[in-house]
C-alpha cells in the first residue's frame, strides 16, 4: 500500500499523482515503470514513472483516464492509499554518451518523455523537445519541459497553442537542417510509427517506448510481446525502450485493441457505479 | 487384517458436465470413513518402499498407520514434520510417479491412495486443529528467500523451524507462486494455499509482496542489508512460444497469461477488473499439466476446447488423472498433430494450420520422436489459441547478479549442496531444473534449507 501525497489535474483527462515509496524513489531511472492495483479486485496496470524525489521518498505517476482502472485511480485523493505499487520495472533508458538528442512527446506520452529529457539534460546533453497535443486544453508539463530543454517546440493539431501541425512536421524541419545522435519518441503508436518512418529517411537512430498490455510486468505472461526486428520481444523485460526502426507498429496497434470491447463495458460499468454513488 | 480389496476407495468427484460450468474443486475428498478404509489397504511394509518416491521423505507408513486408528491429529503431525504444504501436495503431486509407484499393493492391483489419504489428513487438520502458534526460538541469523512459490515457501518454513529470521520476497501481489497464478481453483482452491501461507506466517516467516528482486532490490543489496544467505526460487516463469507465423495475432495467449488472468486475477468473477477472452472454439497446444489446466479453464468459460499435441496419448506428459478429468469435461484431443501456422481475420486468430505426425525412433529423452507425415496439412478453426509448450527461467536474477552462472538454457548452476556459483547464494526449484513439478521444487527448497543451515553454522563457528 502506498500513500498519495499530492494530486493534481493536469488537464481534464490527465492526472498527476505523487506517492510515497522510498525504495522506488531511490532506485528508479528514466524509462522505467511501475505496476499498480487500485483495490483488491483491481487489475494490474503499468504506468511509467514520471519523476522521483530521492530526498522526499516520492514517486510521481501521470495517467490518462481511459478505462475503468484509471477512472478508479482518479477517484482517490491525497491521503488515500493505492493497494499495490511495484517497481521499478523494465530496463532504464540508455542515455549515456548522448550529446544531442531530440525528445518527442505526444499527448500523455509527454509524461514518459519528460523524465528522459530531464535525465539527458542532467547528463549535459543538448535537448530539443517537440511536444504535440491535440489542442490547448490538453497541454501538460510545458514548464517542466522548458526547464530541461535547450529548445522547446510546441505543436497542436488545431493551432490553438504553439504551431499548427504534427510533431513530424516540426521534426522534418529540424532534420532538414541538422542531425541528432538520437531521436527519442514517446506517444501514441501511430505517432511513433510516423516519427520512425521520417527518421529512417534521414538515417537517425530512434528509440521508442512501448506500452502494450501487461499483467505481471516481470516476463511471466508474454501478453506484452512485440515483434522487433522480426523477433519476439517482451516489452516488460526486454524493453520498454526499443529501436523504433525495428518495431512492427502495425502489429502492436492491432494487439493493443485486444480487450477494447471489454474495456468499454468495464468503463461504462464504473461510470454507472459512480453515478449511483453520487445519487 | 488389512483391507485386501485390489481397488482403492473411489474419490468422490463432481460430475464432468456439472463441473465444466463451475470453478469449484473437482475432487471432493475422502470422508473420515473412506480415508480409514483406504488406510487399511496399507501393509505397513517394513522396508517402506513408498518413501523413496517422496521428494520430501514423508514418513508415509507411519502417518497411514495413525489414520487407520483414526488418530488424524497425530497423522498430521507426522506429515508436517517433513512437508510444509500437505494440503497442496495431497492435491497436485503426481503420486502415481512418486510414492504410489513404489507401493507393493500396486503389483497386483491399485496402489494405496497415499495422496488421497494425505489430502484428507491435511483437510481434516485445517477444519479441526488450531494451528499451534509455536514460534521457534530465533537464532539471530537472517536469510532472504527470492520467490514465494513452492520451493521458496518450503525453504522458508524449514529455516524458520530452525530459528532463522526469514524474509520471503515475492514479485506478485500475493504469495504462492505457481500455486496461485498457475494451478486453477478447481484443482487447488486458493483458500487452501492461503491457509498454508498463513501457517508459515504464524511461524514467524515475513513475506514481502510487490518486490521484484533484481529490480526493486538486487541480491547484492540484500547482502548489504544483513542477510547472510539467500535462496533463489524464482521459478521458470518465461513462457515459450513455437516461433510459428501468426503467434502475435489477437486471441493467441501463452498458457501463463491465460492462467494468470483466470487464477491470479480471478477474471472468471464478475467483479474482477481484469479481462479474459471468452472463446467459442479454443485450441490448446501442449500435453502437460499446464495444457490441461488451460484447457479446462477455457472450458469453464464456455469454450469448446481441443488439445493439440504432437505425440500420442502414451507420451502425454500430464498426470493421468488430469487427462481423464479433461476428457470427462468433453475436451477433445487432437493427438499426433503439430501446428505450423496461425491465420487470422482482421488481426484475430481464425484458424490453426497443422500437420499430422507419426512416431519415429526414440530420442534422447527416451520418447519416440514425432516426425511430420507428408502431405498431411489440414486446418482447425478457432478463435483462441493457448500455447502451453513450456517455460524458461526468468533472466532477471542472473542478469542483475554478478557471478551467477547458468547453463545454456538459462537455469542456475548449483552444486550438490544447492549453492550457486556464488558463495552464500543458494537456488532450487524451476530456476535450477527448468519447468518441473511442485513437489520437486519443494524437495529442492527443503534440501537448500538444510544446506543453508550447515553453511551458516559452519560460518559462525
Amino acid at each position: 500500500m502506498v500513500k498519495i501525497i499530492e494530486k493534481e489535474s493536469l488537464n481534464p483527462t490527465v492526472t498527476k499523482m505523487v506517492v510515497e515509496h522510498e525504495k522506488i524513489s531511490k532506485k528508479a531511472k528514466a524509462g522505467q515503470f511501475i505496476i499498480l492495483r487500485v483495490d483488491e479486485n483491481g487489475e494490474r496496470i503499468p504506468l511509467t514513472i514520471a519523476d522521483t524525489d530521492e530526498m522526499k521518498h516520492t514517486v510521481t505517476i501521470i495517467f490518462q483516464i481511459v478505462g475503468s482502472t484509471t477512472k478508479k485511480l482518479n477517484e482517490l485523493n491525497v491521503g488515500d492509499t493505492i493497494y499495490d505499487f511495484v517497481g521499478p520495472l523494465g530496463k532504464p533508458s540508455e542515455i549515456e554518451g548522448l550529446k544531442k538528442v531530440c525528445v518527442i512527446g505526444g499527448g500523455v506520452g509527454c509524461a514518459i518523455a519528460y523524465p528522459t529529457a530531464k535525465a539527458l539534460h542532467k547528463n549535459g546533453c543538448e535537448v530539443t523537445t517537440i511536444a504535440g497535443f491535440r489542442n490547448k486544453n490538453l497541454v501538460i508539463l510545458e514548464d517542466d519541459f522548458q526547464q530541461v530543454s535547450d529548445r522547446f517546440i510546441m505543436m497542436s493539431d488545431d493551432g490553438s497553442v504553439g504551431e499548427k501541425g504534427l510533431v513530424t512536421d516540426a521534426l522534418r524541419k529540424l532534420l532538414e537542417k541538422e542531425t541528432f545522435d538520437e531521436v527519442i519518441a514517446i506517444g501514441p503508436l501511430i505517432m511513433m510509427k510516423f516519427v520512425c518512418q521520417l527518421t529512417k529517411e534521414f538515417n537517425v537512430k530512434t528509440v521508442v517506448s512501448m506500452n502494450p498490455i501487461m499483467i505481471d510486468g516481470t516476463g511471466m505472461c508474454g501478453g506484452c510481446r512485440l515483434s522487433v526486428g522480426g523477433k519476439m520481444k517482451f516489452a516488460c523485460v526486454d524493453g520498454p525502450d526499443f529501436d523504433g526502426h525495428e518495431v512492427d507498429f502495425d502489429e502492436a496497434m492491432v494487439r493493443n485493441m485486444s480487450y477494447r470491447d471489454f474495456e468499454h463495458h468495464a468503463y461504462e460499468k464504473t461510470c454507472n457505479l459512480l453515478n449511483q454513488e453520487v445519487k | 487384517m488389512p483391507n485386501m480389496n485390489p481397488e482403492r476407495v473411489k474419490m468422490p468427484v463432481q460430475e464432468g458436465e456439472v463441473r465444466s460450468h463451475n470453478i469449484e474443486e473437482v475432487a471432493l475428498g475422502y470422508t473420515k470413513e473412506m480415508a480409514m478404509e483406504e488406510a487399511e489397504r496399507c501393509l505397513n511394509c517394513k522396508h517402506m518402499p513408498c518413501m523413496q518416491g517422496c521428494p520430501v521423505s514423508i514418513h508415509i507408513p507411519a502417518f497411514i498407520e495413525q489414520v487407520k486408528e483414526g488418530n488424524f491429529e497425530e497423522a498430521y503431525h507426522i506429515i508436517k514434520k517433513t512437508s510444509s504444504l500437505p494440503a497442496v501436495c495431497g492435491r497436485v503431486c503426481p503420486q502415481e510417479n512418486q510414492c504410489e509407484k513404489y507401493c507393493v499393493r500396486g503389483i497386483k492391483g491399485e496402489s494405496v491412495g497415499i495422496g488421497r489419504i494425505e489430502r484428507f489428513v491435511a483437510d481434516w487438520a485445517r477444519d479441526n486443529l488450531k494451528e499451534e502458534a509455536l514460534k521457534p526460538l530465533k537464532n539471530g541469523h537472517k536469510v532472504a528467500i527470492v520467490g514465494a512459490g513452492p520451493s521458496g515457501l518450503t525453504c522458508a518454513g524449514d529455516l524458520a523451524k530452525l530459528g532463522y529470521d526469514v524474509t520471503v520476497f515475492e514479485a506478485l501481489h500475493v504469495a504462492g507462486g505457481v500455486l496461485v497464478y498457475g494451478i486453477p481453483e478447481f484443482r487447488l482452491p486458493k483458500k487452501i494455499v492461503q491457509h498454508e501461507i498463513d501457517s508459515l506466517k504464524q511461524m514467524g516467516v515475513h513475506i514481502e509482496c510487490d518486490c521484484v528482486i533484481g529490480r526493486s532490490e538486487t541480491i547484492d543489496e540484500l547482502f548489504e542489508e544483513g542477510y547472510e544467505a539467500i535462496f533463489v526460487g524464482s521459478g521458470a516463469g518465461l513462457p515459450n512460444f513455437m516461433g510459428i507465423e501468426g503467434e502475435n495475432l489477437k486471441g493467441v495467449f501463452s498458457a501463463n497469461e491465460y492462467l494468470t488472468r483466470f487464477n491470479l486475477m480471478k477474471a472468471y468473477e464478475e467483479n474482477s477488473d481484469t479481462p479474459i477472452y471468452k472463446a467459442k472454439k479454443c485450441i490448446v497446444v501442449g500435453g502437460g499439466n499446464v495444457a490441461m489446466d488451460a484447457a479446462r479453464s477455457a472450458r469453464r468459460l464456455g469454450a469448446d476446447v481441443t488439445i493439440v499435441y504432437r505425440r500420442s496419448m502414451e507420451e502425454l506428459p500430464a498426470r493421468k488423472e488430469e487427462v481423464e478429468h479433461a476428457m470427462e469435461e468433453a475436451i477433445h484431443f487432437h493427438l499426433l498433430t503439430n501446428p505450423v501456422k496461425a491465420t487470422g481475420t482482421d488481426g484475430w486468430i481464425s484458424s490453426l494450420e497443422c500437420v499430422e505426425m507419426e512416431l519415429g525412433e526414440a530420442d534422447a529423452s527416451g520418447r519416440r520422436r514425432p516426425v511430420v507425415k507428408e502431405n498431411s496439412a489440414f486446418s482447425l478453426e478457432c478463435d483462441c489459441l493457448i500455447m502451453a509448450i513450456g517455460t524458461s527461467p526468468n533472466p532477471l536474477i542472473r542478469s542483475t547478479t554478478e557471478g551467477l552462472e547458468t547453463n545454456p538454457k538459462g537455469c542456475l548452476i548449483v552444486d550438490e549442496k544447492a549453492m550457486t556459483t556464488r558463495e552464500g547464494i543458494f537456488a532450487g526449484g524451476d530456476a535450477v531444473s527448468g519447468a518441473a513439478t511442485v513437489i520437486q521444487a519443494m524437495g529442492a527448497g527443503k534440501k537448500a534449507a538444510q544446506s543453508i543451515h550447515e553453511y551458516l553454522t559452519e560460518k559462525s563457528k
Side-chain angles (χ1 to χ4, degrees):
Chain A
M1 295 239 202
V2 298
K3 203 163 141 196
I4 300 167
I5 314 270
E6 261 178 68
K7 180 185 174 187
E8 186 189 341
S9 174
L10 300 185
N11 76 31
T13 63
V14 176
T15 301
K16 170 177 148 180
M17 265 182 191
V18 179
V19 305
E20 209 171 41
H21 198 302
E22 183 179 348
K23 279 185 184 169
I24 298 179
S25 76
K26 290 182 173 163
K27 198 92 193 170
K29 295 204 169 72
Q32 291 189 298
F33 63 95
I34 56 97
I35 283 198
L36 63 78
R37 287 202 316 154
V38 176
D39 55 39
E40 215 185 328
N41 295 315
E43 66 175 330
R44 296 171 65 95
I45 59 159
L47 288 173
T48 303
I49 297 164
D51 210 351
T52 52
D53 190 326
E54 244 183 274
M55 306 306 286
K56 290 186 188 155
H57 301 165
T58 59
V59 178
T60 305
I61 49 170
I62 294 177
F63 58 92
Q64 187 164 22
I65 305 148
V66 286
S68 113
T69 298
T70 40
K71 190 163 174 61
K72 277 190 197 169
L73 181 60
N74 194 48
E75 297 301 319
L76 299 179
N77 288 304
V78 172
D80 290 343
T81 53
I82 299 174
Y83 206 78
D84 287 289
F85 200 89
V86 54
L89 300 169
K91 287 184 182 165
S93 301
E94 287 171 19
I95 55 165
E96 285 311 311
L98 297 175
K99 299 272 186 301
K100 188 183 175 196
V101 170
C102 180
V103 176
I104 303 174
V108 75
C110 287
I112 309 173
Y114 168 68
T116 307
K118 183 180 165 188
L120 285 164
H121 177 73
K122 204 176 153 196
N123 248 12
C125 174
E126 184 191 326
V127 179
T128 301
T129 299
I130 306 174
F133 300 94
R134 284 214 308 279
N135 61 53
K136 194 179 164 193
N137 297 331
L138 300 177
V139 171
I140 59 169
L141 300 172
E142 186 179 355
D143 295 342
D144 303 75
F145 270 119
Q146 295 273 18
Q147 281 176 28
V148 298
S149 309
D150 297 270
R151 268 186 297 185
F152 179 73
I153 303 166
M154 175 93 84
M155 303 295 290
S156 64
D157 291 3
D158 63 356
S160 57
V161 64
E163 275 178 62
K164 183 176 172 167
L166 303 170
V167 291
T168 40
D169 298 334
L171 180 62
R172 180 176 285 281
K173 270 190 202 162
L174 291 175
L175 289 176
E176 278 166 355
K177 287 182 299 195
E178 57 187 306
T179 190
F180 297 94
D181 294 345
E182 197 170 293
V183 169
I184 299 175
I186 305 164
L189 288 167
I190 189 82
M191 179 206 95
M192 295 196 283
K193 177 183 165 174
F194 283 104
V195 166
C196 290
Q197 274 181 12
L198 181 63
T199 55
K200 207 163 186 175
E201 211 179 291
F202 287 89
N203 201 21
V204 180
K205 187 185 171 192
T206 304
V207 170
V208 294
S209 175
M210 301 299 282
N211 189 13
I213 294 168
M214 273 183 204
I215 309 179
D216 61 294
T218 63
M220 200 181 85
C221 78
C224 66
R225 63 190 188 275
L226 307 158
S227 294
V228 181
K231 290 205 178 92
M232 185 186 287
K233 296 280 176 191
F234 290 177
C236 64
V237 286
D238 300 318
D241 288 1
F242 292 100
D243 180 341
H245 294 158
E246 301 269 308
V247 172
D248 184 339
F249 286 104
D250 294 335
E251 180 188 273
M253 279 186 250
V254 171
R255 285 188 61 78
N256 262 19
M257 296 291 172
S258 294
Y259 292 100
R260 197 172 46 175
D261 290 347
F262 183 98
E263 280 157 8
H264 187 71
H265 176 72
Y267 184 73
E268 296 280 299
K269 211 169 67 180
T270 316
C271 293
N272 290 339
L273 207 68
L274 293 168
N275 290 345
Q276 276 167 17
E277 278 166 13
V278 173
K279 279 178 210 164
Chain B
M1 242 326 255
N3 169 0
M4 291 312 289
N5 191 334
E7 284 175 25
R8 52 173 76 171
V9 177
K10 292 234 167 347
M11 174 68 112
V13 293
Q14 276 197 76
E15 285 301 319
E17 168 54 22
V18 175
R19 69 178 189 248
S20 52
H21 304 291
N22 69 46
I23 55 115
E24 306 302 322
E25 200 173 6
V26 170
L28 302 170
Y30 278 166
T31 60
K32 201 156 99 178
E33 292 72 25
M34 289 172 179
M36 288 170 74
E37 188 187 336
E38 182 61 22
E40 285 291 347
R41 294 184 65 236
C42 174
L43 304 177
N44 202 3
C45 309
K46 278 213 169 63
H47 64 305
M48 300 180 279
C50 47
M51 277 185 67
Q52 62 177 290
C54 179
V56 296
S57 307
I58 293 175
H59 288 274
I60 295 164
F63 94 76
I64 293 183
E65 198 61 20
Q66 295 301 324
V67 175
K68 281 181 198 172
E69 306 298 324
N71 298 332
F72 306 132
E73 184 169 350
E74 187 48 35
Y76 180 68
H77 291 311
I78 293 169
I79 299 174
K80 266 295 226 188
K81 264 185 211 156
T82 51
S83 169
S84 32
L85 312 166
V88 174
C89 294
R91 285 172 167 80
V92 303
C93 269
Q95 292 106 1
E96 63 274 23
N97 296 323
Q98 297 175 336
C99 50
E100 294 175 8
K101 182 175 161 184
Y102 300 97
C103 175
V104 297
R105 292 300 305 267
I107 301 167
K108 280 189 184 168
E110 289 185 321
S111 57
V112 174
I114 300 169
R116 296 170 177 192
I117 305 174
E118 180 190 24
R119 170 187 161 144
F120 166 78
V121 172
D123 288 353
W124 180 90
R126 196 172 60 254
D127 293 338
N128 294 284
L129 293 184
K130 261 200 173 161
E131 206 56 56
E132 73 283 32
L134 203 104
K135 280 196 189 174
L137 219 56
K138 290 270 160 101
N139 66 14
H141 294 284
K142 278 171 75 178
V143 179
I145 310 271
V146 181
S151 71
L153 292 176
T154 303
C155 189
D158 281 18
L159 287 170
K161 276 183 207 161
L162 291 166
Y164 290 91
D165 190 352
V166 184
T167 304
V168 184
F169 297 93
E170 167 56 44
L172 293 173
H173 55 264
V174 283
V178 73
L179 306 176
V180 295
Y181 77 73
I183 302 175
E185 179 78 17
F186 55 82
R187 208 149 73 78
L188 179 64
K190 301 308 151 223
K191 66 168 203 285
I192 288 169
V193 180
Q194 196 50 51
H195 181 86
E196 307 271 26
I197 289 164
D198 288 344
S199 80
L200 282 178
K201 284 186 184 163
Q202 277 172 11
M203 260 165 51
V205 172
H206 312 284
I207 297 183
E208 204 175 306
C209 290
D210 287 335
C211 186
V212 184
I213 298 300
R215 288 270 180 248
S216 308
E217 281 180 80
T218 61
I219 295 270
D220 290 288
E221 284 165 334
L222 291 176
F223 279 122
E224 283 163 28
E225 281 166 37
Y227 292 100
E228 295 159 80
I230 294 166
F231 173 76
V232 179
S234 51
L238 243 61
N240 297 340
F241 286 87
M242 290 185 76
I244 58 172
E245 198 183 323
E247 265 181 323
N248 286 356
L249 284 166
K250 288 187 285 184
V252 183
F253 307 94
S254 72
N256 264 8
E257 175 177 359
Y258 197 81
L259 289 171
T260 300
R261 288 178 185 274
F262 191 86
N263 298 316
L264 178 74
M265 307 312 296
K266 299 193 168 28
Y268 56 81
E269 283 180 356
E270 188 49 35
N271 65 355
S272 169
D273 287 344
T274 304
I276 192 163
Y277 179 62
K278 290 184 179 157
K280 289 175 201 73
K281 250 180 134 38
C282 174
I283 294 175
V284 178
V285 178
N289 288 318
V290 174
M292 298 305 136
D293 286 345
R296 298 170 69 196
S297 298
R299 179 81 188 105
R300 280 159 175 74
L301 292 176
D304 177 55
V305 185
T306 302
I307 285 179
V308 165
Y309 176 59
R310 61 191 184 132
R311 302 183 204 242
S312 71
M313 192 53 96
E314 220 167 283
E315 290 84 14
L316 212 65
R319 284 183 66 195
K320 202 167 146 252
E321 187 182 275
E322 304 308 327
V323 178
E324 285 168 7
H325 280 164
M327 287 177 161
E328 288 163 15
E329 290 163 17
I331 285 163
H332 318 290
F333 285 76
H334 229 295
L335 303 172
L336 288 164
T337 302
N338 207 30
V340 287
K341 184 184 168 188
T343 47
T345 312
D346 300 329
W348 199 285
I349 187 165
S350 55
S351 76
L352 184 66
E353 286 181 28
C354 301
V355 286
E356 287 177 33
M357 310 293 280
E358 53 196 356
L359 293 177
E361 299 288 304
D363 63 12
S365 72
R367 295 184 300 177
R368 291 174 64 194
R369 190 194 302 274
V371 193
V372 179
K373 252 195 214 173
E374 272 181 54
N375 301 321
S376 64
F378 68 102
S379 81
L380 293 169
E381 251 181 66
C382 65
D383 61 337
C384 175
L385 175 66
I386 301 174
M387 290 297 185
I389 52 167
T391 51
S392 310
N394 196 314
L396 209 47
I397 302 281
R398 67 171 190 261
S399 64
T400 54
T401 314
E402 289 274 323
L404 277 189
E405 282 173 36
T406 57
N407 71 14
K409 284 185 174 166
C411 303
L412 293 171
I413 293 171
V414 295
D415 63 16
E416 68 284 358
K417 290 278 178 195
M419 200 194 284
T420 63
T421 47
R422 254 192 66 183
E423 196 192 320
I425 306 180
F426 297 76
D430 286 4
V432 169
S433 61
T437 61
V438 168
I439 189 72
Q440 280 167 311
M442 287 176 59
K446 197 166 189 61
K447 187 174 150 192
Q450 192 53 42
S451 297
I452 289 171
H453 179 50
E454 286 166 18
Y455 167 74
L456 291 178
T457 310
E458 188 62 31
K459 222 178 128 190
S460 53
K461 260 182 198 166

